[in-house]
């Protein structure tokens, strides 16, 4: 879809460009192409984050998010190139300086002031999404600022139709562009707004209990009406919005830590920020707005009857739900910093005993129980690891080391199922 659309955009430019003459013509032509590609890329970026169930379950939320992030970098690069090339090309053609030409474009071309504001909003979004900045701001702040891209896309859309040489006077091209953006907007409105509101009114979720599990870790039980209709699967997650002071405006992703039950759902959360820490103080009866279920980290990815669940820290939560329900021969390896950080250990031991499965606990402290995350260490715990499907979930550093160790241990890439939930 991406490559086909890009080819169509290039065909549109080719059709509307009888000739390219001189440096000004080449620069302006390149500016038009990058602008068209950036406009198409914006629609694709929004589509990737529309939370369409077919894409979400087939591809996985975290992979869609990674594609979105990668595509965002390309889109910003294309938009910057478009601005610079157009100003440069027009400056050569009119024999004016870049500053004067920029002023003329922004103030005298229709909708270009709006386009400029949209471009600046894109730049701000790119800056706050850069890793060096992203790590220093709360998830809730980043998520809120990200909504500025909707306004940026709207402003840029109007500018393209008003000023784009490939659209002015070309009615079929205008209609195709409208159809593309209206279709994406309809999918966003339906799956990101209408469906969550409808489900909230139908299921009326509320907090029924908050239970401590480990230092800084709590389980939140949520009840409601017709929960089976949600069709949630072990390994999936919801975006939870707790309608209480200080939490109502943020929707954070937390995975289910137990198999979905007709009477309740459960999440287990570690205090790693202001939002997650506040969940320990939730009162029973607090209303909850939940979006989901999302994610493809489910039994559907399994290719063999032998499975290894490899988790670290609070990444045990979706693996706990899978450990309860996955058929076949299952081994769980759970890594944590200290023994007291092994959340849900009692439940894991009970499940292992009930199904005749093995659980291996690995901690960094004390050192006598520590084990490096290497191919050799994994083979020692799971001798037939190369024959298994592996479900992996944990902190970024742990998962990166685990992926390298699994490859060295002979596990095929297609058998490693990984979701980071770092959205």
């Amino acid at each position: 879809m991406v490559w086909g659309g890009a080819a169509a955009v290039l065909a549109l430019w080719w059709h509307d460009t009888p000739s390219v003459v001189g440096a000004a013509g080449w620069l302006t032509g390149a500016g038009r192409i990058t602008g068209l590609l950036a406009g198409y890329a914006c629609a694709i970026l929004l589509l990737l984050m529309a939370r369409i169930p077919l894409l979400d379950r087939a591809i996985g939320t975290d992979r869609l998010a990674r594609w979105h992030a990668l595509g965002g970098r390309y889109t910003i690069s294309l938009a910057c190139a478009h601005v610079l090339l157009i100003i440069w090309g027009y400056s050569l053609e009119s024999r004016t300086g870049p500053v004067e030409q920029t002023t003329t474009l922004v103030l005298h071309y229709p909708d270009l002031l709006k386009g400029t504001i949209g471009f600046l909003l894109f730049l701000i979004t790119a800056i706050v999404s850069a890793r060096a900045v992203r790590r220093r701001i709360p998830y809730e702040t980043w998520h809120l600022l990200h909504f500025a891209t909707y306004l940026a896309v709207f402003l840029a859309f109007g500018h393209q139709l008003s000023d784009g040489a490939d659209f002015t006077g070309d009615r079929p091209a205008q209609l195709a562009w409208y159809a593309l953006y209206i279709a994406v907007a309809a999918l966003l409105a339906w799956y990101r707004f209408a469906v969550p509101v409808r489900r909230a009114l139908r299921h009326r979720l509320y907090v029924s209990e908050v239970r401590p599990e480990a230092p800084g870790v709590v389980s939140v039980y949520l009840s409601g009406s017709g929960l089976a209709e949600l069709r949630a699967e072990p390994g999936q997650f919801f975006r939870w919005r707790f309608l209480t002071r200080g939490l109502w405006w943020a929707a954070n992703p937390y995975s289910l830590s137990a198999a979905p039950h007709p009477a309740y759902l459960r999440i287990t959360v570690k205090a790693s920020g202001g939002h997650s820490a506040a969940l320990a103080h939730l009162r029973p009866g607090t209303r909850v707005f939940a979006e989901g279920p999302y994610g493809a980290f489910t039994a559907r990815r399994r290719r063999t009857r032998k499975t290894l669940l490899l988790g670290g820290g609070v990444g045990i939560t979706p693996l706990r739900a899978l450990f309860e329900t996955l058929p076949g021969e299952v081994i769980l390896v759970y890594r944590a910093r200290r023994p007291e950080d092994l959340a849900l250990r009692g439940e894991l031991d009970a499940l292992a005993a009930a199904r005749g499965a093995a659980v291996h606990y690995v901690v960094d402290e004390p050192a006598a129980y520590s084990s490096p995350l290497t191919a050799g260490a994994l083979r020692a715990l799971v001798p037939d690891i190369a024959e298994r499907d592996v479900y992996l979930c944990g902190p970024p550093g742990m998962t990166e080391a685990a992926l390298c160790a699994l490859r060295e241990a002979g596990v095929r890439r297609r058998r490693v199922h990984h979701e980071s939930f770092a959205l």
Side-chain angles (χ1 to χ4, degrees):
M1 185 175 182
V2 170
W3 290 110
V9 164
L10 291 174
L12 176 63
W13 172 83
W14 184 271
H15 176 266
D16 292 326
T17 307
S19 63
V20 179
V21 180
W26 283 106
L27 289 169
T28 303
R32 287 168 54 193
I33 290 173
T34 51
L36 288 168
L37 290 173
Y40 179 68
C42 285
I44 295 297
L45 292 180
L46 294 177
L47 185 66
L48 290 174
M49 290 290 100
R51 300 173 188 169
I52 301 170
L54 178 63
L55 292 179
D56 187 79
R57 299 199 177 202
I59 298 172
T61 304
D62 73 320
R63 186 178 296 176
L64 290 172
R66 289 197 298 271
W67 290 357
H68 175 82
L70 178 63
R73 291 191 283 273
Y74 282 117
T75 303
I76 291 296
S77 300
L78 287 168
C80 290
H82 165 69
V83 171
L84 295 174
L85 289 167
I86 287 293
I87 292 173
W88 192 2
Y90 279 30
S91 295
L92 290 180
E93 185 175 349
S94 61
R95 300 181 184 277
T96 58
V99 175
E100 182 181 352
Q101 186 60 54
T102 300
T103 304
T104 301
L105 288 170
V106 172
L107 298 181
H108 296 93
Y109 277 62
D111 287 330
L112 202 51
L113 181 58
K114 295 179 182 179
T116 302
I117 296 173
F119 173 66
L120 294 176
L121 289 174
F122 274 126
L123 287 181
I124 293 171
T125 304
I127 291 170
V128 299
S129 298
R131 289 185 181 180
V133 179
R134 173 71 180 85
R135 293 170 181 168
R136 289 172 169 80
I137 60 175
Y139 168 83
E140 296 82 8
T141 303
W142 169 83
H143 190 261
L144 187 64
L145 290 173
H146 225 66
F147 276 104
T149 55
Y150 288 121
L151 177 58
V153 170
F154 173 76
L155 294 172
F157 177 79
H159 146 65
Q160 282 201 306
L161 291 180
S162 299
D163 301 309
D166 302 286
F167 293 110
T168 54
D170 191 335
R171 193 61 176 169
Q174 293 176 6
L175 293 176
W177 211 246
Y178 270 115
L180 171 65
Y181 272 83
I182 289 174
V184 172
L187 290 170
L188 281 168
W190 179 253
Y191 288 113
R192 295 203 62 165
F193 299 100
V195 169
V197 169
R198 185 184 65 175
R199 287 180 175 174
L201 295 175
R202 167 67 183 91
H203 300 295
R204 300 191 299 278
L205 283 169
Y206 63 92
V207 174
S208 56
E209 182 184 358
V210 178
R211 182 181 301 173
E213 302 286 2
V217 179
V218 298
S219 287
V220 180
Y221 289 78
L222 305 114
S223 300
S225 303
L227 299 185
E229 298 173 13
L230 290 170
R231 298 181 181 179
E233 300 179 42
Q236 291 190 308
F237 71 96
F238 288 75
R239 287 178 172 86
W240 306 92
R241 189 186 302 272
F242 298 91
L243 304 184
T244 187
R245 184 177 180 181
L247 297 178
W248 64 268
W249 59 277
N252 282 29
Y254 299 116
S255 56
L256 299 175
S257 62
H261 190 278
Y264 67 88
L265 301 174
R266 188 185 77 174
I267 59 175
T268 301
V269 181
K270 181 178 181 179
S272 57
H275 186 279
S276 54
L279 300 191
H281 307 290
L282 287 172
R283 295 182 178 180
T286 300
R287 294 297 300 270
V288 182
F289 187 94
E291 302 174 44
Y294 298 121
F297 194 64
T298 66
R300 301 186 188 194
R301 287 190 173 183
R302 193 171 57 102
R303 299 173 181 270
T304 67
R305 288 193 57 79
K306 291 184 176 182
T307 308
L308 167 63
L309 306 178
L310 180 55
V314 78
I316 192 62
T317 52
L319 300 182
R320 153 63 179 85
L322 288 168
F323 192 47
E324 179 181 355
T325 56
L326 272 178
E329 183 183 330
V330 182
I331 295 177
L332 171 65
V333 176
Y334 183 10
R335 302 179 64 90
R337 182 183 174 189
R338 303 168 300 175
E340 54 266 34
D341 294 329
L342 294 167
L344 308 175
R345 183 172 183 174
E347 293 183 16
L348 296 173
D349 289 337
L351 288 172
R355 63 178 301 165
V359 180
H360 300 289
Y361 300 105
V362 181
V363 294
D364 297 330
E365 302 172 6
Y369 296 95
S370 179
S371 175
L373 189 48
T374 62
L378 289 175
R379 285 198 198 97
L381 293 173
V382 190
D384 60 349
I385 189 172
E387 304 172 10
R388 294 177 177 268
D389 278 271
V390 179
Y391 286 78
L392 172 63
C393 188
M398 175 261 178
T399 54
E400 290 176 9
L403 289 171
C404 294
L406 290 169
R407 284 195 293 268
E408 293 178 11
V411 182
R412 298 177 185 176
R413 180 174 295 183
R414 64 187 180 90
R415 287 188 178 177
V416 179
H417 316 300
H418 166 232
E419 281 196 345
S420 66
F421 304 102
L423 307 178

